[in-house]
Amino acid sequence: ALAVLPVILFHAGFEWFSGGFVGVDVFFVISGYLITTIIISEISEGKFSLINFYERRARRILPALVFTVLLTILIAPFILLPGQIKDLGQTLVSISTFLSNYFFYLELDYFNEFSSKNPLLHTWSLAVEEQFYIFFPILIILIFPKGQKVIFTSLIAIFMLSIFSAQSLSSYDASLSFYSLHTRAWELMFGALVAYAFFYNHQKIYQIRSKHRKIVSLGNIISAIVLGSSFIFFDKNTLHPSFWTLIPVFATAFLILFLSNNDRIARILSSKILVSIGLISYSLYLLHNPIFSFIEIAFENLSDDIIIRYKVLALPAILVLSIFSYFFIEKPFRKKDLNRSFIFTCSSLALLLMLAFGYITHMKNGFINEMKAFEDSRGIKSFVDREEELDRISQVSSRYKGSSNGFKCSNELLCKKIVVIGDSFARDVFLSLSYSNEESHVSLVGFDDECFSSISKFSSSEKIKCKDEMLTRSEFNNRFLDATDIIISAKWQESTYADAISLADYLKDVSKAKVHISGSIMFANLQTLHRKVPNINDRKNTAQITYKYIRYDRLNISRKLENLVLQNTDYNWIKRADFFCDFALKECNLFNQSGQPLIWDNAHLTVSAYKPFSEYLLDRL
């Protein structure tokens, strides 16, 4: 109860109450303690069965999770945009494969300002526990026959490796450290060590409790104060998980070890209200985040104070739903009259359906076409006519033969010769410079970012192939020989952004040109964003709402590339995001002064954007 309540308060918007950090730490310590107690006790009695263990975990975890997912799916179409629904579909795939922690690492930073848009973000911690449940029992089965020393040494070894990994990784990739099993294992191991101490040294612990009652009682009070203070004072600026996290973890472990029935802290924790909250805490944890997320998205045009009030008003509904989930979803599936085959059949079917629905949602792009068709049938117009805009772009493209704007410089010595290489984002750059600039020769080398490694890493290869594009190495090199400026531009993915530097290194050797690398940015699709913007003429409010619909995963990858580029003085960074957004004001403008859209989907430029974007680029070359 005291772990889940601070998390809910944090998600409700009380930023001063940092339960989102410490609550999860408490969860992991308690989980490590309980699971290890069960496994060691049953193995020592010759009763442990791996299949029984997984059955009990399925009974405990999946029913309430499936109920939460189903509720989220039913509400989502009324509140979320297609892009968000697509993200939700991808989330379902990751949940059904017990990998949502790593999915969210790629998608989101847990405490960034865009994270509230995924209703199931909080399931990352459940994925960590599921991964722990899969591997840890097997480890204990293998080492238990070797005796106490081997068990203790193994737990200590995992603890030490994990905590040092957490400390190291948190300093340079805090998000990966926050989500990963190997950097969270030490918290689970701390709980496991408490279970080990109880199992093999329970008499000594009871003696310490009875002989040093006053000291132990004082220690419990101090631990409770320390734990409570950690909930308040740990924030997003705290290196976490790290050595600092030992503070709440140790306090939790101390309370587990030394609380006894006659201790005043124990009496508080044993109060009926906290025990009752503890019983429904799993459902409470699962259900609160989707509801808070939907409130935040539905009322995002209102002030933060009003949104917090709505979340507080929603707490009774969350409590009622959690009580319903506990009594009618969780408890029935724990009954022994539901046999193992039924539990595993239901579990497998639920996970497969979740996986299939998530995959279909992803492939259907969040059902954007179906949603657009429905709105068209009701006479609801979007901000941009996609087909009309594509026709305009096609007309512009037809002016330029092949991949060049065909401009001939009157003074070759003063003429800029710009070569753009990349995917559809590079095509935007090429068309913008060609359409609006009459003082430079501009050409395009169409290569997807997934092919960049084939150019730079396999320099001995005579032929360079990228999808339908095939060039000999000499043909490729000749495209850049006379360039004064080379612009590398692409959508950038986690697997490709680092290849931009390798490609730049290669092109620097091929040509004497100045090499520029352009970032990327994506938003919610403009064809459906009208559902979130009440009045397009209110430019400031529209810009503030648009800012909230930046695709954080793409922005984060672009920022990683920016850091690499800025470390190398040979290359110039062009921040595409700044063309649209003022990050200090938290505003993004996707329309020009005449109200014409600057993008036609979620990122690609309209013809109306070509001239201002060309000016933006030339200022930065």
Side-chain angles (χ1 to χ4, degrees), residues 63-93:
L65 176 62
V66 171
F67 174 67
T68 302
V69 166
L70 183 61
L71 204 64
T72 303
I73 290 171
L74 292 174
I75 299 173
F78 300 98
I79 295 177
L80 303 184
L81 294 177
Q84 295 168 319
I85 293 174
K86 181 179 180 179
D87 287 342
L88 182 61
Q90 294 170 345
T91 303
L92 296 182
V93 173

Side-chain angles (χ1 to χ4, degrees), residues 34-44 48 53 136-137 140:
L34 292 175
I35 295 304
T36 307
T37 299
I38 292 168
I39 296 171
I40 291 180
S41 300
E42 292 186 357
I43 290 178
S44 65
F48 185 76
F53 176 81
F136 188 68
I140 297 297

